[in-house]
PDB file of all heavy atoms in Angstrom:
ATOM      1  N   ASP A 246      10.553 -22.430 -18.362  1.00 98.00           N
ATOM      2  CA  ASP A 246       9.511 -23.442 -18.188  1.00 98.00           C
ATOM      3  C   ASP A 246       8.610 -23.005 -17.043  1.00 98.00           C
ATOM      4  O   ASP A 246       8.956 -23.169 -15.861  1.00 98.00           O
ATOM      5  CB  ASP A 246      10.160 -24.806 -17.883  1.00 98.00           C
ATOM      6  CG  ASP A 246       9.115 -25.908 -17.829  1.00 98.00           C
ATOM      7  OD1 ASP A 246       7.912 -25.589 -17.839  1.00 98.00           O
ATOM      8  OD2 ASP A 246       9.510 -27.093 -17.775  1.00 98.00           O
ATOM      9  N   ASP A 247       7.449 -22.462 -17.389  1.00 98.00           N
ATOM     10  CA  ASP A 247       6.568 -21.883 -16.365  1.00 98.00           C
ATOM     11  C   ASP A 247       5.822 -22.957 -15.582  1.00 98.00           C
ATOM     12  O   ASP A 247       5.101 -22.637 -14.640  1.00 98.00           O
ATOM     13  CB  ASP A 247       5.584 -20.911 -17.033  1.00 98.00           C
ATOM     14  CG  ASP A 247       5.091 -19.848 -16.065  1.00 98.00           C
ATOM     15  OD1 ASP A 247       5.662 -19.717 -14.960  1.00 98.00           O
ATOM     16  OD2 ASP A 247       4.126 -19.136 -16.406  1.00 98.00           O
ATOM     17  N   MET A 248       5.970 -24.231 -15.958  1.00 97.00           N
ATOM     18  CA  MET A 248       5.336 -25.293 -15.182  1.00 97.00           C
ATOM     19  C   MET A 248       6.191 -25.679 -13.975  1.00 97.00           C
ATOM     20  O   MET A 248       5.726 -26.386 -13.088  1.00 97.00           O
ATOM     21  CB  MET A 248       5.092 -26.534 -16.061  1.00 97.00           C
ATOM     22  CG  MET A 248       4.044 -26.333 -17.142  1.00 97.00           C
ATOM     23  SD  MET A 248       2.513 -25.623 -16.499  1.00 97.00           S
ATOM     24  CE  MET A 248       1.962 -26.919 -15.404  1.00 97.00           C
ATOM     25  N   GLN A 249       7.446 -25.265 -13.956  1.00 96.00           N
ATOM     26  CA  GLN A 249       8.302 -25.551 -12.806  1.00 96.00           C
ATOM     27  C   GLN A 249       7.934 -24.614 -11.662  1.00 96.00           C
ATOM     28  O   GLN A 249       7.711 -23.420 -11.894  1.00 96.00           O
ATOM     29  CB  GLN A 249       9.787 -25.346 -13.168  1.00 96.00           C
ATOM     30  CG  GLN A 249      10.288 -26.226 -14.294  1.00 96.00           C
ATOM     31  CD  GLN A 249      10.150 -27.710 -13.964  1.00 96.00           C
ATOM     32  OE1 GLN A 249      10.330 -28.124 -12.812  1.00 96.00           O
ATOM     33  NE2 GLN A 249       9.806 -28.505 -14.956  1.00 96.00           N
ATOM     34  N   ALA A 250       7.893 -25.153 -10.440  1.00 92.00           N
ATOM     35  CA  ALA A 250       7.495 -24.320  -9.301  1.00 92.00           C
ATOM     36  C   ALA A 250       8.575 -23.291  -8.985  1.00 92.00           C
ATOM     37  O   ALA A 250       8.272 -22.134  -8.679  1.00 92.00           O
ATOM     38  CB  ALA A 250       7.240 -25.200  -8.088  1.00 92.00           C
ATOM     39  N   THR A 251       9.840 -23.685  -9.054  1.00 91.00           N
ATOM     40  CA  THR A 251      10.904 -22.751  -8.668  1.00 91.00           C
ATOM     41  C   THR A 251      11.931 -22.547  -9.783  1.00 91.00           C
ATOM     42  O   THR A 251      12.212 -21.422 -10.164  1.00 91.00           O
ATOM     43  CB  THR A 251      11.628 -23.235  -7.396  1.00 91.00           C
ATOM     44  OG1 THR A 251      12.036 -24.589  -7.607  1.00 91.00           O
ATOM     45  CG2 THR A 251      10.729 -23.141  -6.179  1.00 91.00           C
ATOM     46  N   GLU A 252      12.494 -23.623 -10.316  1.00 95.00           N
ATOM     47  CA  GLU A 252      13.582 -23.459 -11.286  1.00 95.00           C
ATOM     48  C   GLU A 252      12.990 -23.238 -12.677  1.00 95.00           C
ATOM     49  O   GLU A 252      12.906 -24.138 -13.503  1.00 95.00           O
ATOM     50  CB  GLU A 252      14.497 -24.686 -11.243  1.00 95.00           C
ATOM     51  CG  GLU A 252      15.153 -24.837  -9.875  1.00 95.00           C
ATOM     52  CD  GLU A 252      15.894 -26.134  -9.693  1.00 95.00           C
ATOM     53  OE1 GLU A 252      15.854 -27.002 -10.586  1.00 95.00           O
ATOM     54  OE2 GLU A 252      16.512 -26.296  -8.637  1.00 95.00           O
ATOM     55  N   LYS A 253      12.586 -21.994 -12.934  1.00 97.00           N
ATOM     56  CA  LYS A 253      11.820 -21.711 -14.155  1.00 97.00           C
ATOM     57  C   LYS A 253      12.708 -21.351 -15.340  1.00 97.00           C
ATOM     58  O   LYS A 253      12.302 -21.532 -16.487  1.00 97.00           O
ATOM     59  CB  LYS A 253      10.843 -20.553 -13.898  1.00 97.00           C
ATOM     60  CG  LYS A 253       9.647 -20.943 -13.031  1.00 97.00           C
ATOM     61  CD  LYS A 253       8.739 -19.756 -12.781  1.00 97.00           C
ATOM     62  CE  LYS A 253       7.580 -20.121 -11.881  1.00 97.00           C
ATOM     63  NZ  LYS A 253       6.497 -20.861 -12.520  1.00 97.00           N
ATOM     64  N   MET A 287       9.921 -14.649  -6.976  1.00 92.00           N
ATOM     65  CA  MET A 287       8.645 -14.705  -7.690  1.00 92.00           C
ATOM     66  C   MET A 287       7.540 -14.005  -6.887  1.00 92.00           C
ATOM     67  O   MET A 287       7.436 -14.183  -5.686  1.00 92.00           O
ATOM     68  CB  MET A 287       8.213 -16.161  -7.918  1.00 92.00           C
ATOM     69  CG  MET A 287       9.163 -16.965  -8.788  1.00 92.00           C
ATOM     70  SD  MET A 287       9.415 -16.259 -10.422  1.00 92.00           S
ATOM     71  CE  MET A 287       7.751 -16.269 -11.035  1.00 92.00           C
TER      72      MET A 287
END
Side-chain angles (χ1 to χ4, degrees):
D246 186 350
D247 205 12
M248 292 310 296
Q249 300 300 324
T251 52
E252 298 171 355
K253 287 178 182 283
M287 297 302 301

